[in-house]
Amino acid sequence: VLNVAAVQGGYVAEINVMNEGDQTAADVTIRGQLLDGETVVEERELTLDYVPPHSARRGGLFFSENPADWTLELAPMGYQQP
């Protein structure tokens, strides 16, 4: 997570997704959850078209709740080889 900022209607968590592998990953899906202990308060997903090898891409997840008030957990959900 690079930054969390207030935007109209909620908040955006700006994230950096890194590909440390040797192949391009396409349709990279990242899930972001705001957690209260083990309870999911809010969940969002972001799909990046591609992340080249040994590079990074930035994106944002929009939440109605402030991520600073909860535990923000990010997880890669999947990708495909182009």
Side-chain angles (χ1 to χ4, degrees):
V1 176
L2 299 171
N3 185 44
V4 174
V7 294
Q8 185 173 349
Y11 300 86
V12 62
E14 297 174 0
I15 64 171
N16 191 50
V17 177
M18 296 176 60
N19 178 357
E20 296 176 348
D22 294 329
Q23 297 181 355
T24 297
D27 296 323
V28 178
T29 302
I30 305 296
R31 178 180 64 197
Q33 293 181 321
L34 301 182
L35 301 172
D36 182 10
E38 293 186 20
T39 302
V40 177
V41 175
E42 193 170 352
E43 181 175 290
R44 295 291 184 257
E45 285 190 355
L46 163 70
T47 301
L48 298 170
D49 292 337
Y50 69 96
V51 184
H54 306 286
S55 71
R57 292 290 183 263
R58 292 183 178 186
L61 295 163
F62 291 97
F63 294 98
S64 58
E65 296 283 332
N66 186 348
D69 295 338
W70 310 97
T71 300
L72 173 56
E73 184 175 283
L74 300 173
M77 300 306 295
Y79 73 96
Q80 62 178 308
Q81 293 180 341

